Amino acid sequence: MSEFWLISAPGDKENLQALERMNNVTSKSNLSHNTKFAIPDFKVGTLDSLVGLSDELGKLDTFAESLIKRMAQSVVEVMEDSKGKAHETLLANGVDLTSFVTHFEWDMAKYPAKQPLVSVVDTLAKQLAQIETDLKSRTAAYSVLKANLENLEKRSTGNLFTRTLSDIVSKEDFVLDSEYLITLLVIVPKSSFAQWQKTYESLSDMVVPRSTKLIAEDNEGGLFTVTLFRKVIEDFKVKAKENKFIVREFYYDEKEIKREREEMTRLLSDKKQQYGPLLRWLKVNFSEAFIAWIHIKALRVFVESVLRYGLPVNFQAVLLQPHKKSATKRLREVLNSVFRHLDEVAAASILDASVEIPGLQLSNQDYFPYVYFHIDLSLLD
């Protein structure tokens, strides 16, 4: 499972023994894989400041999780044809996300533990805010380019009634620069090709004999040219429609056709040029944002542990990885039983069999006798 529970208990002898009991029970029952989660000693400051930091970290945690989800989605959207491999590229510090979480080490160079906690949190907040700002600007520009290209591509892949004709027709298909003659394009149902050939010359006066030519077809019909005198255009259109032949409104403009073709070429080139740098930026900054998120989780455990267990700082953090969803309810019961002594009233109510606990839907707001935070990597799938 790509789900983790990050808990802490006081570091005194009684609770270290409780942690050992938890490890034994969860191991024997195959409930979870447990590892110690190292968190450095920070400058605590006042308890009042910790209360404020607790609220701020909660908001920052939510923001960071939302940001990495958006970045993961952006990677999927950018990779398009390789969507299935997109999540293989979502790494943290060069390793897969599960390995990073299970082997987490605090980055002292980036987030010095000797600094006040407020400064560390501020550094994380500014880093994530900058990544979000860059994400918006970079993906917005790429999205506009992609949308424009998709619109052009749709025009090239529709049926003969709607698609662009710039890649179908050529100058030789038309009578151009004539004061009296004009070439029209007519869409004829496939079942009526023979009828068109027999009747088009008689649909109106002044139709040039043997002037029709099939220049394109799709599953529904064909696109034929026909040349006639300008003054009978409207009469020809009416008679053609009566026979289920539809005149496509199109006038050959070499400059416009050239512009459209050049626009497609330019957009394809621009997309190719932006693809590589954007994907590299997403990979690098997804890693940075994910790493920051796990550091925020560590800070939340530290702050909540001090607020819950008091000073001096003395607690042990443990990372649990439940083996399967069906075991999470039992795992929760084991934890609540082992650490019942930390808060008898809360533990008793939680363990009460008459109280239903949605074990698979517990949030950070649920109260437990121990400090608890949830890390769900399946949100990135």
Side-chain angles (χ1 to χ4, degrees):
M1 284 179 65
S2 53
E3 175 185 356
F4 297 91
W5 295 3
L6 188 52
I7 71 166
S8 80
D12 56 40
K13 183 178 179 180
E14 179 185 6
N15 285 290
L16 290 177
Q17 290 174 344
L19 283 169
E20 189 61 33
R21 288 199 305 276
M22 176 196 73
N23 288 332
N24 290 335
V25 173
T26 56
S27 176
K28 287 180 180 178
S29 302
N30 197 32
L31 296 176
S32 64
H33 176 72
N34 310 335
T35 55
K36 288 185 178 181
F37 193 85
I39 300 175
D41 290 330
F42 295 99
K43 293 183 177 180
V44 174
T46 65
L47 290 179
D48 283 346
S49 67
L50 286 184
V51 172
L53 272 180
S54 176
D55 292 337
E56 187 176 345
L57 283 167
K59 296 174 184 176
L60 193 56
D61 186 353
T62 301
F63 172 70
E65 182 176 324
S66 170
L67 178 59
I68 63 174
K69 284 167 65 177
R70 280 180 282 154
M71 297 187 79
Q73 183 59 37
S74 293
V75 170
V76 172
E77 291 171 358
V78 169
M79 292 187 71
E80 295 181 61
D81 297 336
S82 304
K83 285 182 180 180
K85 297 182 179 180
H87 285 88
E88 296 176 9
T89 69
L90 298 179
L91 305 175
N93 213 18
V95 300
D96 65 86
L97 305 184
T98 296
S99 295
F100 180 83
V101 174
T102 54
H103 297 88
F104 174 78
E105 292 183 7
W106 186 272
D107 190 334
M108 292 292 186
K110 193 178 293 184
Y111 314 111
K114 293 182 179 180
Q115 288 186 351
L117 271 175
V118 175
S119 298
V120 177
V121 174
D122 186 57
T123 298
L124 284 160
K126 287 179 178 177
Q127 178 190 9
L128 292 172
Q130 186 60 55
I131 290 175
E132 185 194 37
T133 299
D134 292 345
L135 174 67
K136 287 180 178 178
S137 62
R138 288 171 181 267
T139 55
Y142 189 79
S143 295
V144 169
L145 175 61
K146 185 179 175 183
N148 290 338
L149 184 57
E150 286 175 351
N151 288 334
L152 275 182
E153 289 174 339
K154 282 180 182 178
R155 291 177 59 193
S156 300
T157 56
N159 59 37
L160 291 172
F161 290 96
T162 58
R163 64 161 295 159
T164 182
L165 302 179
S166 63
D167 59 338
I168 292 177
V169 300
S170 64
K171 186 176 181 179
E172 290 70 29
D173 295 325
F174 296 85
V175 173
L176 301 173
D177 304 321
S178 171
E179 183 179 350
Y180 301 104
L181 296 175
I182 187 171
T183 300
L184 300 182
L185 296 178
V186 183
I187 300 171
V188 179
K190 270 203 167 180
S191 59
S192 302
F193 281 11
Q195 181 189 353
W196 166 259
Q197 293 286 359
K198 290 178 182 178
T199 62
Y200 81 91
E201 292 180 9
S202 60
L203 290 176
S204 177
D205 295 334
M206 300 183 178
V207 175
V208 177
R210 295 186 298 278
S211 63
T212 193
K213 181 175 68 171
L214 177 65
I215 58 174
E217 62 180 302
D218 59 17
N219 293 332
E220 299 172 9
L223 186 69
F224 287 82
T225 61
V226 60
T227 301
L228 43 85
F229 278 75
R230 289 180 181 274
K231 65 181 182 180
V232 298
I233 290 176
E234 294 307 318
D235 181 56
F236 183 88
K237 286 182 178 179
V238 172
K239 295 292 177 57
K241 189 174 182 181
E242 290 174 358
N243 287 272
K244 298 183 180 179
F245 306 143
I246 307 300
V247 176
R248 168 82 188 261
E249 296 294 337
F250 180 85
Y251 298 96
Y252 188 87
D253 183 335
E254 199 162 16
K255 289 182 179 179
E256 179 61 22
I257 289 175
K258 182 180 179 183
R259 185 204 63 78
E260 190 172 314
R261 288 173 177 169
E262 288 176 347
E263 177 70 0
M264 175 67 83
T265 302
R266 184 187 66 80
L267 289 173
L268 285 169
S269 176
D270 288 351
K271 184 182 178 186
K272 187 176 181 180
Q273 288 177 3
Q274 289 190 27
Y275 173 84
L278 176 58
L279 186 58
R280 284 192 294 274
W281 183 90
L282 283 169
K283 289 179 180 179
V284 169
N285 286 274
F286 173 86
S287 174
E288 291 297 309
F290 185 86
I291 290 169
W293 184 44
I294 303 304
H295 278 76
I296 290 167
K297 290 289 188 184
L299 282 173
R300 294 195 75 186
V301 171
F302 180 88
V303 170
E304 296 305 322
S305 296
V306 175
L307 290 175
R308 180 78 69 91
Y309 309 135
L311 294 170
V313 177
N314 185 25
F315 67 90
Q316 176 62 60
V318 178
L319 184 73
L320 292 81
Q321 185 177 15
H323 284 155
K324 49 189 176 181
K325 278 190 175 292
S326 58
T328 53
K329 184 177 180 180
R330 173 57 182 155
L331 178 59
R332 181 69 66 193
E333 291 171 350
V334 169
L335 295 182
N336 292 334
S337 175
V338 168
F339 297 108
R340 180 189 182 104
H341 61 280
L342 293 176
D343 191 331
E344 291 285 349
V345 175
S349 64
I350 292 172
L351 289 170
D352 188 339
S354 65
V355 179
E356 292 189 8
I357 303 174
L360 302 183
Q361 300 176 0
L362 291 166
S363 69
N364 289 350
Q365 283 68 47
D366 289 292
Y367 182 81
F368 305 106
Y370 43 88
V371 171
Y372 161 81
F373 291 103
H374 189 234
I375 301 173
D376 189 359
L377 303 188
S378 66
L379 296 172
L380 304 178
D381 293 338

